[in-house]
Amino acid sequence: MAPAGSVGAGAEAGLPEYAGHYRLQSRLGSGGMGVVHLARSTSGMRVAVKVVHAEYARDPEFRGRFRQEVAAARRVSGAFTAPVVDADPEAERPWMATLFIPGPTLAQQVKANGPLDAEQLRRLMAGLAEALRDIHRAGVVHRDLKPSNVLLAEDGPKVIDFGISRPKDSELRTETGKLIGTPPFMAPEQFRRPREVGPAADLFALGSVLVHAATGRGPFDSDSPYVVAYQVVHDEPDVTGLPDSLVPLVLRCLAKEPEDRPTPDELMRELRSSAASLDTQPFIPAQRIGVLDERTDTAAPTDSGTESPDGAPPGSPADGAPPAPRRRPSRRTLVVTASAVAVLAGGVLTPLARPDDAPAPRTSATPTASAPAASGGWRGKPLAGGTGVPVCGTGGGRLFCARAGQVVALDPADGRVVWRRAFPGARWDGPPVVSGGLLHLVAAGTGHLEALDPASGRTRWRQALPGDSGVAYAAGSLLLTRADGTVTGVDGASGRTLWHRRLPGGVRPEVSAFAGGGTAYATRVAGDGGESRVAALDPATGEVRWDAALKGTLSPAGAGDGAVVFLAADPVYGDTGAVVRRDASGTATRTALPAPRQGAQAAVHGDVVYLLGSDGALDAIDSRAGRRLWHLETAVSYGSAPVTDGRYVYLSAGDGRLLAVGARDGRLVGQTRARPGPSGRGAPATLPAPLLGDEHGGGQRVFGTAPDGTVFAEDTRDPASW
């Protein structure tokens, strides 16, 4: 069922049901250039997807600006923004997806609950300074920082809405005919010299945002944008109502000349020196907006069908303040937060340096060798040209790596290229997988499955997958899931359909399988998140070996010796609060974590679960005994999923480092040097997990990839030498 039609600007009755592989579930807001939807990826991850209005999709000039916006937004994806998950500016209806992050905007918070107190203002200023530092380091100027573009997440403010300009929003124009910014939060140079706007303009906007957060109004206030423009350029700001301790810093930010404003680093130093410490409690207020009925994945009606002035979704919090974070919601409803507006059209994201949009060149088929590493491994860049972190898989004694438009087979012993295959224009939905003796790759956007001969790279067969299919692999079979709950088994060697089974409940199951196991686990979560139904399937026949109802919102993390281990998440916020182990007898053991983990990813070895949060916290949990073994702060934010061989736990960092942690004691043993991407591109939004290779000469290799395109191997016998 397609989402409801839009209202307001660019209203259309027939919105698409999918954007790429993301199923659009409900409309969360509308901006001048697009509509934002709550959506789910094939794996069930919630994202916010902006789909461009059809009238602008037909405009070649707009498409060019949208391509630049997507390229720039990807450069700043990281800890202080809503990371870009995927995008297709070339689609019939261009779209961009960002991670769905809980939290109201600053504009909504001030409107609902009034101005922030002094300590909240100080933390807000520090968080925004950190965010601007990282955005500017990525070579980008936001140019439209305002309260509706600041998301109050639990771990601090996020700068969102790196949208394109909206030409119909105002009569104020630059010489190119487009408004760049929002008048009450624009710097003087944006009116006087719009082509010369630099990072200092964002510091001016930061000062204006702080005044709004403290008073509910801006430092320059008028109903007329022309009067506001005059005040910004000529008048002194009104900072009445600001705490005295912050007035000097805010006035420096609001200086008329860019060179008189502080840099983000200077601002953070001033804040540190003027306060002994900052409160580190979560900053996100309890206030939320809108309601989502998870039984139907549609948004509940709001009080108004019109767009709010700042482009946020319509409506207001229902029935007073919702429950405080992590309190169990009612069985009928879950909260939808305002992070979806992160992809609404608003300001203009302007690169400081022109992004490199050149297509990847065709590469030679001549095998080449990688350079040996000092630690006994090897390293190389076999996928020349292109951008992004290579994704790799192993099988049949080979290491297979893919990047946009390319696939290579490597000798895992020395990194030598065995064969190379070009797929012009192709983007891959996940790493290469060996199934049924063939190498499988799924093309993102088109949904085509390529099955290659792993020895030569030649195509053995090709198949178009149904448009709403999810893909999982288990024991030589492909398992395709559909939105109606159907699971289909496909032979990995021939592409022949083996079986169909429709699971009760009428929702798409999350299907998981684990190395060395001959069972696939299909998990369906109830609409209120209170129960998960798990079916253990035979991948070859579709036979249901067992089907059990388990308490909570669960996702499988690993299996072995007849037991399967799940992560239990809060149904509203998605934080992992417990590990659940179901043994062969059907007995479930639940181990609560000392503190919930955001963005948790896990590796399982025997009874031990190694759990990595997005903040870098790494825990070892004995799932049988029900206790935590150790804890380590890795300082790696938004790292890859961990992997383990029982001796070490390995994970990748956004700057290309590979870390090894002792599996028994939680001690950091070694790490490789950083291999970040090209200057200004920032950290990638998602990172492939390291791969464990086969034994060699009494040891084993672990393979990693990095944002600069490097593929490398390290000997696991002595990670301290890395």
Side-chain angles (χ1 to χ4, degrees), residues 47-416:
V47 294
V49 178
K50 179 178 72 177
V51 181
V52 169
H53 292 314
E55 63 183 291
Y56 296 111
R58 294 188 290 267
D59 182 356
E61 180 185 354
F62 170 81
R63 281 183 173 271
R65 295 200 308 271
F66 189 77
R67 280 192 294 270
Q68 179 172 313
E69 178 206 352
V70 170
R74 280 175 165 152
R75 295 168 68 179
V76 301
S77 286
F80 301 99
T81 62
V84 176
V85 175
D86 201 358
D88 189 357
E90 306 304 330
E92 180 179 355
R93 295 280 298 279
W95 56 269
M96 179 169 64
T98 65
L99 191 65
F100 189 88
I101 301 174
T105 66
L106 176 61
Q108 292 161 344
Q109 172 64 16
V110 171
K111 183 177 181 179
N113 299 325
L116 308 187
D117 62 35
E119 190 57 29
Q120 289 176 322
L121 289 169
R122 183 176 290 276
R123 294 201 305 275
L124 175 66
M125 194 173 200
L128 290 178
E130 283 185 316
L132 291 180
R133 176 199 60 191
D134 276 32
I135 291 169
H136 295 165
R137 282 179 177 176
V140 168
V141 180
H142 189 286
R143 300 184 81 167
D144 198 30
L145 184 66
K146 58 186 177 181
S148 60
N149 287 345
V150 175
L151 181 68
L152 302 181
E154 286 195 78
D155 57 347
K158 311 288 184 186
V159 175
I160 62 172
D161 203 353
F162 297 93
I164 59 174
S165 61
R166 292 186 282 181
K168 296 181 182 178
D169 280 354
S170 170
E171 294 180 0
L172 288 171
R173 311 287 179 174
T174 68
E175 57 265 70
T176 60
K178 302 295 185 287
L179 172 66
I180 302 180
T182 302
F185 302 95
M186 290 169 66
E189 62 267 29
Q190 288 180 272
F191 298 104
R192 296 182 303 197
R193 304 182 298 275
R195 293 188 181 275
E196 300 175 17
V197 172
D202 289 343
L203 272 297
F204 189 97
L206 186 153
S208 297
V209 166
L210 260 291
V211 174
H212 178 90
T215 66
R217 55 165 177 78
F220 309 97
D221 225 2
S222 172
D223 292 333
S224 167
Y226 295 102
V227 173
V228 170
Y230 181 89
Q231 292 173 338
V232 168
V233 174
H234 299 288
D235 292 351
E236 292 302 312
D238 181 4
V239 295
T240 305
L242 267 177
D244 291 342
S245 61
L246 293 180
V247 168
L249 288 178
V250 171
L251 286 177
R252 286 187 62 196
C253 292
L254 294 174
K256 299 298 184 188
E257 298 303 324
E259 58 269 24
D260 294 334
R261 299 171 204 147
T263 65
D265 284 325
E266 290 171 346
L267 200 56
M268 286 187 286
R269 282 197 295 271
E270 290 282 348
L271 287 167
R272 283 196 301 269
S273 64
S274 62
S277 64
L278 293 179
D279 183 359
T280 58
Q281 294 300 310
F283 180 49
I284 185 171
Q287 196 74 15
R288 294 288 191 274
I289 64 164
V291 176
L292 176 73
D293 187 334
E294 283 282 283
R295 297 168 302 165
T296 60
D297 282 334
T298 57
T302 55
D303 296 333
S304 169
T306 60
E307 182 182 340
S308 64
D310 61 12
S316 59
D319 302 324
R326 297 189 181 88
R327 184 180 299 172
R328 180 165 295 284
S330 71
R331 293 186 59 82
R332 297 183 61 83
T333 59
L334 294 176
V335 176
V336 169
T337 58
S339 66
V341 301
V343 289
L344 277 173
V348 171
L349 186 70
T350 307
L352 292 176
R354 181 179 179 85
D356 181 9
D357 293 327
R362 287 183 171 268
T363 54
S364 169
T366 305
T368 57
S370 297
S375 58
W378 51 261
R379 63 180 179 273
K381 294 184 178 180
L383 295 160
T387 59
V389 185
V391 291
C392 301
T394 59
R398 291 282 184 263
L399 176 66
F400 303 98
C401 296
R403 211 177 187 184
Q406 303 175 65
V407 182
V408 295
L410 306 177
D411 186 328
D414 56 14
R416 182 177 58 87

Side-chain angles (χ1 to χ4, degrees), residues 591-595 597 618-622 626-631:
T591 305
L593 301 179
R597 297 296 181 209
L618 181 62
D619 295 292
I621 308 294
D622 187 327
R627 63 189 180 93
R628 184 169 73 169
L629 301 175
W630 51 257
H631 168 80

